[in-house]
Short mmCIF file of all heavy atoms in Angstrom, two decimals:
data_model
loop_
_atom_site.label_atom_id
_atom_site.label_comp_id
_atom_site.label_asym_id
_atom_site.label_seq_id
_atom_site.Cartn_x
_atom_site.Cartn_y
_atom_site.Cartn_z
N VAL P 1785 -6.46 -11.10 1.89
CA VAL P 1785 -5.12 -10.53 1.83
C VAL P 1785 -4.13 -11.27 2.75
O VAL P 1785 -2.93 -11.31 2.48
CB VAL P 1785 -5.18 -9.03 2.22
CG1 VAL P 1785 -3.80 -8.40 2.23
CG2 VAL P 1785 -6.12 -8.28 1.28
N ARG P 1786 -4.65 -11.89 3.81
CA ARG P 1786 -3.80 -12.46 4.85
C ARG P 1786 -2.71 -13.39 4.29
O ARG P 1786 -1.54 -13.27 4.63
CB ARG P 1786 -4.70 -13.22 5.85
CG ARG P 1786 -4.00 -13.89 6.98
CD ARG P 1786 -5.04 -14.38 7.99
NE ARG P 1786 -5.65 -13.26 8.70
CZ ARG P 1786 -5.19 -12.77 9.85
NH1 ARG P 1786 -4.12 -13.31 10.41
NH2 ARG P 1786 -5.80 -11.76 10.43
N GLY P 1787 -3.10 -14.30 3.41
CA GLY P 1787 -2.15 -15.27 2.87
C GLY P 1787 -1.15 -14.69 1.89
O GLY P 1787 -0.20 -15.37 1.51
N ARG P 1788 -1.37 -13.45 1.45
CA ARG P 1788 -0.40 -12.81 0.56
C ARG P 1788 0.81 -12.30 1.34
O ARG P 1788 1.84 -11.98 0.76
CB ARG P 1788 -1.05 -11.63 -0.18
CG ARG P 1788 -2.24 -12.04 -1.02
CD ARG P 1788 -2.93 -10.84 -1.66
NE ARG P 1788 -4.23 -11.22 -2.21
CZ ARG P 1788 -5.11 -10.38 -2.74
NH1 ARG P 1788 -4.82 -9.08 -2.80
NH2 ARG P 1788 -6.27 -10.82 -3.19
N ILE P 1789 0.64 -12.17 2.66
CA ILE P 1789 1.72 -11.68 3.52
C ILE P 1789 2.61 -12.86 3.89
O ILE P 1789 2.12 -13.97 4.11
CB ILE P 1789 1.11 -11.01 4.77
CG1 ILE P 1789 0.36 -9.74 4.32
CG2 ILE P 1789 2.17 -10.69 5.81
CD1 ILE P 1789 -0.51 -9.13 5.39
N GLY P 1790 3.92 -12.64 3.93
CA GLY P 1790 4.85 -13.71 4.20
C GLY P 1790 4.64 -14.35 5.56
O GLY P 1790 4.13 -13.70 6.49
N ASP P 1791 5.05 -15.63 5.69
CA ASP P 1791 5.07 -16.26 7.02
C ASP P 1791 6.00 -15.47 7.93
O ASP P 1791 5.78 -15.38 9.14
CB ASP P 1791 5.57 -17.70 6.92
CG ASP P 1791 4.62 -18.57 6.14
OD1 ASP P 1791 3.50 -18.80 6.63
OD2 ASP P 1791 4.98 -19.00 5.02
N VAL P 1792 7.04 -14.91 7.32
CA VAL P 1792 7.95 -14.01 8.02
C VAL P 1792 8.04 -12.73 7.20
O VAL P 1792 8.10 -12.78 5.96
CB VAL P 1792 9.35 -14.65 8.17
CG1 VAL P 1792 10.36 -13.67 8.74
CG2 VAL P 1792 9.27 -15.91 9.03
N VAL P 1793 8.01 -11.58 7.87
CA VAL P 1793 8.16 -10.30 7.20
C VAL P 1793 9.39 -9.62 7.80
O VAL P 1793 9.50 -9.53 9.03
CB VAL P 1793 6.91 -9.40 7.38
CG1 VAL P 1793 7.04 -8.14 6.55
CG2 VAL P 1793 5.64 -10.17 7.02
N ALA P 1794 10.31 -9.19 6.94
CA ALA P 1794 11.56 -8.58 7.42
C ALA P 1794 11.72 -7.21 6.79
O ALA P 1794 11.75 -7.08 5.56
CB ALA P 1794 12.76 -9.46 7.07
N ALA P 1795 11.79 -6.18 7.63
CA ALA P 1795 11.87 -4.80 7.17
C ALA P 1795 13.19 -4.19 7.66
O ALA P 1795 13.48 -4.22 8.86
CB ALA P 1795 10.68 -4.00 7.71
N ALA P 1796 13.97 -3.65 6.72
CA ALA P 1796 15.32 -3.18 7.07
C ALA P 1796 15.27 -1.93 7.94
O ALA P 1796 14.53 -0.98 7.67
CB ALA P 1796 16.12 -2.91 5.80
N HIS P 1797 16.08 -1.95 8.98
CA HIS P 1797 16.29 -0.79 9.85
C HIS P 1797 17.64 -0.15 9.52
O HIS P 1797 17.77 1.05 9.42
CB HIS P 1797 16.23 -1.26 11.30
CG HIS P 1797 16.69 -0.24 12.29
ND1 HIS P 1797 15.96 0.88 12.57
CD2 HIS P 1797 17.80 -0.16 13.07
CE1 HIS P 1797 16.59 1.60 13.48
NE2 HIS P 1797 17.72 1.00 13.79
N ALA P 1798 18.66 -1.00 9.32
CA ALA P 1798 20.00 -0.53 8.96
C ALA P 1798 20.07 -0.24 7.46
O ALA P 1798 19.14 -0.55 6.71
CB ALA P 1798 21.03 -1.58 9.35
N ASP P 1799 21.19 0.34 7.03
CA ASP P 1799 21.39 0.65 5.60
C ASP P 1799 21.84 -0.62 4.88
O ASP P 1799 22.99 -0.74 4.45
CB ASP P 1799 22.44 1.75 5.43
CG ASP P 1799 22.01 3.05 6.06
OD1 ASP P 1799 20.88 3.12 6.60
OD2 ASP P 1799 22.81 4.00 6.05
N MET P 1800 20.93 -1.57 4.74
CA MET P 1800 21.26 -2.87 4.14
C MET P 1800 20.06 -3.42 3.40
O MET P 1800 18.94 -2.91 3.55
CB MET P 1800 21.72 -3.86 5.22
CG MET P 1800 20.76 -4.07 6.39
SD MET P 1800 19.32 -5.13 6.07
CE MET P 1800 20.09 -6.75 5.98
N VAL P 1801 20.32 -4.45 2.60
CA VAL P 1801 19.24 -5.12 1.87
C VAL P 1801 19.51 -6.62 1.83
O VAL P 1801 20.65 -7.05 1.95
CB VAL P 1801 19.13 -4.62 0.41
CG1 VAL P 1801 18.48 -3.27 0.32
CG2 VAL P 1801 20.49 -4.61 -0.29
N ILE P 1802 18.45 -7.38 1.62
CA ILE P 1802 18.58 -8.81 1.28
C ILE P 1802 18.37 -8.90 -0.23
O ILE P 1802 17.22 -8.81 -0.71
CB ILE P 1802 17.51 -9.66 1.99
CG1 ILE P 1802 17.52 -9.42 3.49
CG2 ILE P 1802 17.70 -11.14 1.62
CD1 ILE P 1802 18.41 -10.28 4.30
N ILE P 1803 19.46 -8.99 -0.96
CA ILE P 1803 19.32 -9.16 -2.41
C ILE P 1803 19.13 -10.64 -2.73
O ILE P 1803 19.22 -11.49 -1.83
CB ILE P 1803 20.53 -8.59 -3.18
CG1 ILE P 1803 21.82 -9.27 -2.72
CG2 ILE P 1803 20.61 -7.08 -3.02
CD1 ILE P 1803 23.02 -9.01 -3.62
N ALA P 1804 18.87 -10.94 -4.00
CA ALA P 1804 18.79 -12.32 -4.46
C ALA P 1804 19.36 -12.33 -5.87
O ALA P 1804 18.66 -12.09 -6.85
CB ALA P 1804 17.34 -12.81 -4.44
N SER P 1805 20.67 -12.54 -5.95
CA SER P 1805 21.41 -12.29 -7.19
C SER P 1805 20.96 -13.19 -8.34
O SER P 1805 21.09 -12.81 -9.50
CB SER P 1805 22.91 -12.47 -6.96
OG SER P 1805 23.17 -13.78 -6.49
N GLU P 1806 20.42 -14.37 -8.05
CA GLU P 1806 19.98 -15.26 -9.14
C GLU P 1806 18.53 -15.02 -9.49
O GLU P 1806 18.17 -14.88 -10.66
CB GLU P 1806 20.18 -16.73 -8.73
CG GLU P 1806 21.63 -17.15 -8.83
CD GLU P 1806 21.88 -18.49 -8.15
OE1 GLU P 1806 20.97 -19.34 -8.19
OE2 GLU P 1806 22.98 -18.65 -7.58
N ARG P 1807 17.64 -14.97 -8.48
CA ARG P 1807 16.22 -14.82 -8.84
C ARG P 1807 15.83 -13.38 -9.16
O ARG P 1807 14.84 -13.16 -9.84
CB ARG P 1807 15.31 -15.46 -7.78
CG ARG P 1807 15.48 -15.04 -6.37
CD ARG P 1807 14.85 -16.03 -5.40
NE ARG P 1807 15.83 -17.06 -5.03
CZ ARG P 1807 15.54 -18.19 -4.43
NH1 ARG P 1807 14.30 -18.47 -4.12
NH2 ARG P 1807 16.48 -19.05 -4.10
N GLU P 1808 16.63 -12.40 -8.68
CA GLU P 1808 16.32 -10.99 -8.96
C GLU P 1808 17.59 -10.28 -9.43
O GLU P 1808 18.09 -9.37 -8.75
CB GLU P 1808 15.79 -10.29 -7.70
CG GLU P 1808 14.53 -10.92 -7.12
CD GLU P 1808 14.18 -10.35 -5.74
OE1 GLU P 1808 14.97 -9.56 -5.17
OE2 GLU P 1808 13.10 -10.70 -5.23
#
Side-chain angles (χ1 to χ4, degrees):
V1785 178
R1786 179 170 289 269
R1788 301 176 193 175
I1789 294 169
D1791 294 294
V1792 173
V1793 186
H1797 168 70
D1799 297 358
M1800 55 77 72
V1801 283
I1802 307 271
I1803 58 167
S1805 58
E1806 283 167 34
R1807 54 198 89 194
E1808 301 170 353

